[in-house]
Amino acid sequence: LGTQELAGEVGSWLRKLKENGEKRAPFVVVDPVMITTSGHKLVDDSAKVAMIEKVFPYADLVTPNKFEAEELLGRTLCTPQDVEDGARAILAMGPRAVIIKGGHSLLEGNNKVVESEETNASVGYAQDYLLLSNEAAAEGKPVKDRARLCDGSRGVWIRNDRYDSDHTHGTGCTLSSAIASAWAMGQRERDSIGSSIGGENVGALCAMRLADACCIAKAYVNAGIARGVQLGKGPGPVVHTGFPNSYKNFPTIELSASNTSMSSFPAMQSYHSAKSSSAAPALGRILPIVDTVEWIEQLVSTPGIEDIQLRFKDTTDYDIILDRIKRSSALCQSAGVRLWINDYWKAALEAGGCFGIHLGQEDLASCVDAGGLDLIRDAGLAFGVSTHSYSELCAALGVRPSYISLGPVFSTQSKDVKFDPQGLETVRQWRSLIPPDIPLIAIGGIGNADVAKVVREAGAECSAVIGAVTKAADVKKAVEALNAAME
């Protein structure tokens, strides 16, 4: 959009598309190519103003790099806080979302930056900052009135380690195009309801919204930089590969841009890697999830049970929950079984004696806001996180958990699930996107040993089970069969 006239024409065309009530409005990504990598301006001020006034109001996402954001804002971005403030200012120009691309470090391109611990901490990473309007963030959100760490309305830092490579030509344009492509893949899946299993959407693509698309695009670009080579003179181009399939390129969502010192939670290894030299405890092949002390008492004496998760479906009364945790903890400790507490991390810390805590994405966000992660880590407890989408996986990886769970793999009636079934292909994909030293637990619809077997074959090291145990005619035989299936 190099001239005022061109920006005006494009804006007029976009307005007609967006205001056409007969068809669904297209998803519009605007990459404001304004300044070269070497710092030369490509558009004059009149074109810039026209772009802001005529095009931005119809953009679903604007994708400036650091220099372009500075040109739009008329000020220098020297710190991560400057980037966050700048994103809010660009969002106020009319687009529904903005991502300030982090290919350039904050120390590049200007002489006004005063080196600080905060700025220096960000230099080793390529970090993009995503900010969504409340309206855009609400689309596809599983629980409308509760936040997740990956919700773009909170502001999201998407991070990869920075490659020491000069072959990065085209990374900015590639990122913007990859975001649009990933979003379109998700919309195509949602449009094809009923094409797979019993009229349901299946797989993480169905949950592909803007934050997810940005995470996938980030992984795509990172893989392209990793394979960059010299072609001709000057920096080589980013290589175009395929849909992200490696944990080596998959990004994390970080709590802050300058966060470099967050330690991992206590490590777990899978049952299948327990013969390694690692001293980390081995997660059991199955994780029964129950909601009464009576079930805890029965399971701790059942051969083959190494881990149990306690959840609370019938009460939110803190005192009742605390009492159940204390009694369950005593039973598990006496039997040498590890007890995991679902959601109620404060009660678990107060009760003591628990091995670990498991949180869903909404509870993870509220825990972070309350300073709970540090308390859990300081108490030495293991930590597991649920995931259902690509951006949720990035958020889970960002807190360095002991394990990650994916679900529901199949349809389930055990709770009001806000996501479609994932299917076995997503289990395979998750296993490739998660570092091999973090166990993957599959959950949802794993009702017997035959189902557990195909989940294991897809790559999950542990199956979380409910009815397969609690509804079994013979619990001991059911546990034996499930463990054999997950061998």
Side-chain angles (χ1 to χ4, degrees):
L1 303 180
T3 67
Q4 179 181 5
E5 292 76 18
L6 181 57
E9 284 296 320
V10 170
S12 178
W13 178 67
L14 289 176
R15 178 177 58 80
K16 293 177 182 177
L17 287 177
K18 289 289 189 177
E19 294 177 356
N20 183 354
E22 298 180 3
K23 298 181 180 179
R24 181 173 59 208
F27 185 81
V28 177
V29 178
V30 176
D31 186 11
V33 180
M34 302 168 65
I35 299 180
T36 66
T37 300
S38 58
H40 295 293
K41 292 181 64 173
L42 299 175
V43 300
D44 59 27
D45 288 343
S46 63
K48 177 180 69 175
V49 171
M51 187 189 308
I52 294 171
E53 294 181 350
K54 304 295 185 181
V55 177
F56 280 17
Y58 306 106
D60 291 282
L61 177 68
V62 175
T63 64
N65 63 27
K66 173 183 179 290
F67 300 136
E68 289 158 349
E70 290 174 337
E71 178 65 21
L72 289 169
L73 295 165
R75 62 177 185 262
T76 302
L77 304 179
C78 301
T79 68
Q81 186 61 56
D82 289 344
V83 174
E84 295 179 10
D85 293 341
R88 282 189 285 272
I90 294 173
L91 194 66
M93 296 175 183
R96 301 177 76 238
V98 58
I99 185 168
I100 297 181
K101 296 177 289 194
H104 301 284
S105 81
L106 292 173
L107 297 180
E108 291 183 59
N110 58 71
N111 300 318
K112 298 180 181 180
V113 176
V114 177
E115 293 193 29
S116 65
E117 181 177 350
E118 180 185 30
T119 300
N120 288 338
S122 69
V123 171
Y125 304 104
Q127 302 186 100
D128 305 334
Y129 185 70
L130 172 67
L131 183 65
L132 276 65
S133 67
N134 291 331
E135 177 190 10
E139 293 178 356
K141 189 175 178 180
V143 183
K144 298 298 184 183
D145 59 346
R146 298 194 63 193
R148 300 174 296 167
L149 294 183
C150 59
D151 288 340
S153 57
R154 293 171 62 101
V156 170
W157 284 100
I158 307 174
R159 172 188 290 181
N160 280 113
D161 289 339
R162 186 181 298 277
Y163 276 109
D164 184 15
S165 172
D166 293 328
H167 308 312
T168 58
H169 189 69
T171 49
C173 299
T174 298
L175 182 74
S176 302
S177 300
I179 292 171
S181 299
W183 187 92
M185 291 175 71
Q187 189 60 54
R188 181 184 61 187
E189 289 295 310
R190 290 187 290 275
D191 285 345
S192 60
I193 293 176
S195 63
S196 297
I197 299 178
E200 294 176 319
N201 286 322
V202 176
L205 278 180
C206 298
M208 180 87 78
R209 302 290 179 169
L210 182 49
D212 307 283
C214 289
C215 292
I216 288 296
K218 182 76 166 171
Y220 180 83
V221 169
N222 207 50
I225 295 173
R227 295 178 58 180
V229 295
Q230 181 81 43
L231 294 176
K233 297 180 179 179
V238 60
V239 174
H240 291 274
T241 56
F243 197 89
N245 61 3
S246 172
Y247 69 93
K248 295 179 181 179
N249 301 311
F250 203 65
T252 60
I253 286 178
E254 297 293 328
L255 302 182
S256 74
S258 55
N259 176 31
T260 61
S261 59
M262 179 183 288
S263 57
S264 301
F265 283 94
M268 299 286 291
Q269 59 178 325
S270 72
Y271 167 87
H272 312 87
S273 60
K275 296 180 180 180
S276 69
S277 59
S278 171
L283 186 67
R285 285 165 286 178
I286 64 171
L287 177 63
I289 301 175
V290 298
D291 48 24
T292 67
V293 178
E294 289 72 25
W295 266 113
I296 296 284
E297 186 173 17
Q298 180 175 349
L299 289 176
V300 294
S301 61
T302 302
I305 297 295
E306 299 176 70
D307 297 89
I308 303 174
Q309 185 179 127
L310 178 63
R311 64 176 182 173
F312 307 91
K313 292 191 67 176
D314 62 336
T315 183
T316 57
D317 185 286
Y318 185 85
D319 291 334
I320 293 175
I321 290 169
L322 182 62
D323 176 68
R324 289 183 188 175
I325 294 175
K326 288 180 177 179
R327 289 190 287 148
S328 298
S329 176
L331 290 167
C332 287
Q333 285 185 309
S334 65
V337 173
R338 295 181 288 260
L339 176 65
W340 299 79
I341 301 301
N342 190 307
D343 292 346
Y344 288 90
W345 59 272
K346 292 181 181 178
L349 290 175
E350 182 176 346
C354 303
F355 179 81
I357 291 169
H358 177 95
L359 295 182
Q361 290 285 322
E362 291 81 15
D363 288 300
L364 173 60
S366 61
C367 179
V368 167
D369 292 342
L373 285 190
D374 289 336
L375 296 176
I376 296 169
R377 194 180 289 107
D378 291 345
L381 271 63
F383 191 68
V385 183
S386 297
T387 62
H388 313 86
S389 66
Y390 296 109
S391 60
E392 288 190 355
L393 177 56
C394 290
L397 291 169
V399 300
R400 287 69 162 171
S402 307
Y403 73 72
I404 289 173
S405 72
L406 167 69
V409 178
F410 306 107
S411 295
T412 177
Q413 302 300 319
S414 65
K415 62 184 294 188
D416 181 17
V417 178
K418 305 298 182 181
F419 282 89
D420 294 306
Q422 301 288 351
L424 293 173
E425 184 55 39
T426 309
V427 177
R428 297 185 186 95
Q429 188 177 53
W430 247 236
R431 186 58 278 174
S432 70
L433 296 177
I434 297 172
D437 58 346
I438 299 178
L440 171 63
I441 297 181
I443 184 172
I446 306 173
N448 56 55
D450 291 337
V451 179
K453 183 175 178 62
V454 298
V455 167
R456 170 67 190 127
E457 290 171 349
E461 289 92 357
C462 175
S463 282
V465 293
I466 303 174
V469 169
T470 61
K471 295 181 180 179
D474 188 319
V475 171
K476 182 178 178 180
K477 287 184 178 180
V479 168
E480 183 180 351
L482 287 164
N483 273 327
M486 291 298 295
E487 184 66 46

